[in-house]
Amino acid sequence: RQQDMVDELRATVTAERLAEVEGQSRGEGLVFVFGMMRSGSTLAAQILSRHPDAVSIGESLIFPRLLERARDAGYPAGLAEMPSGLLAELGEAYLDALPPEARAAPVVVDKELFKFQHLGLVRLMLPGARLIHTVRDPMDVGFSLWSQSFAGNHPFAYRLETIAHFQHLHDEIMAHWQAAMPGAIHTLRYEDMVADPAAETARLLEA
């Protein structure tokens, strides 16, 4: 089922559709941090949130709720028929749902990890947002997941086989987004951050 979703997203959320929002600023000031669990996303979000202009809203549920609205409107299979006005409306709904302290901040950091699956929709809704993808050696991610006990609905995280399958799906859909949105996604490698935190922090803040 998850593979079917990835195949459908690759077929429907194309580079041509994403190019329609190129240069638009809706969502400017938003920073989305995403990737596999245990890939360094918390470290990245903490660094960004220390900036005096930044406010973190943590692992916000705003986008998952709007994803359901998009699905009700036919996403992803019916994306070609979805008017750009509806996608802009969903983007505005995201901005309207931010807490007051975030609405007043120049930079807002959202660390809801699993939006990597629907990054094209994020781009269509909020084309001005910055996209930060955290990555780490898959063996380290897998072992870290397998060693933890997580709250919430993460059934894939308790068996090495399902962790490996989910990592593969993550890599597959991220390869599509990288190709469909060249230059739009900043990749932050956990190993680089640990080896040279000063340089990687500078790169992250400039992304």
Side-chain angles (χ1 to χ4, degrees):
R1 182 180 178 182
Q2 289 176 325
Q3 184 64 59
D4 291 342
M5 180 190 73
V6 169
D7 293 342
E8 187 170 45
L9 288 169
R10 290 192 302 182
T12 56
V13 192
T14 62
E16 291 74 20
R17 185 64 195 268
L18 291 165
E20 295 176 11
V21 297
E22 189 72 32
Q24 295 183 22
S25 61
R26 186 176 56 254
E28 190 172 8
L30 291 172
V31 181
F32 293 119
V33 178
F34 52 88
M36 285 286 291
M37 296 163 64
R38 313 301 296 173
S39 65
S41 58
T42 298
L43 178 59
Q46 287 174 344
I47 291 168
L48 289 165
S49 300
R50 290 192 196 112
H51 193 281
D53 290 337
V55 167
S56 173
I57 58 172
E59 298 187 30
S60 169
L61 294 177
I62 299 174
F63 177 77
R65 290 170 182 150
L66 292 172
L67 174 61
E68 292 307 311
R69 286 178 54 182
R71 284 174 168 152
D72 290 343
Y75 171 84
L79 182 65
E81 289 74 44
M82 288 176 66
S84 57
L86 174 58
L87 295 164
E89 181 182 317
L90 290 172
E92 293 294 342
Y94 178 98
L95 298 173
D96 290 342
L98 290 171
E101 67 275 14
R103 285 185 230 172
V107 178
V108 179
V109 182
D110 179 336
K111 195 188 81 84
E112 193 280 312
L113 293 181
F114 293 105
K115 62 172 60 67
F116 74 80
Q117 299 173 80
H118 302 282
L119 207 57
L121 179 62
V122 172
R123 183 73 165 176
L124 292 168
M125 289 169 50
L126 297 158
R130 294 160 61 194
L131 307 175
I132 308 291
H133 178 217
T134 59
V135 297
R136 185 182 181 187
D137 182 277
M139 294 291 287
D140 291 336
V141 169
F143 182 75
S144 184
L145 286 170
W146 183 73
S147 303
Q148 299 287 322
S149 179
F150 294 99
N153 184 26
H154 306 304
F156 74 91
Y158 300 103
R159 293 176 56 220
L160 292 175
E161 296 87 347
T162 52
I163 291 170
H165 179 63
F166 194 80
Q167 177 78 59
H168 172 75
L169 293 175
H170 163 273
D171 294 349
E172 192 174 349
I173 194 61
M174 282 307 306
H176 172 66
W177 300 137
Q178 294 278 8
M181 297 183 277
I185 303 167
H186 175 82
T187 300
L188 176 67
R189 299 189 179 280
Y190 176 81
E191 292 83 2
D192 294 342
M193 176 63 75
V194 173
D196 193 347
E200 289 304 309
T201 297
R203 288 184 64 237
L204 181 59
L205 293 173
E206 292 168 2

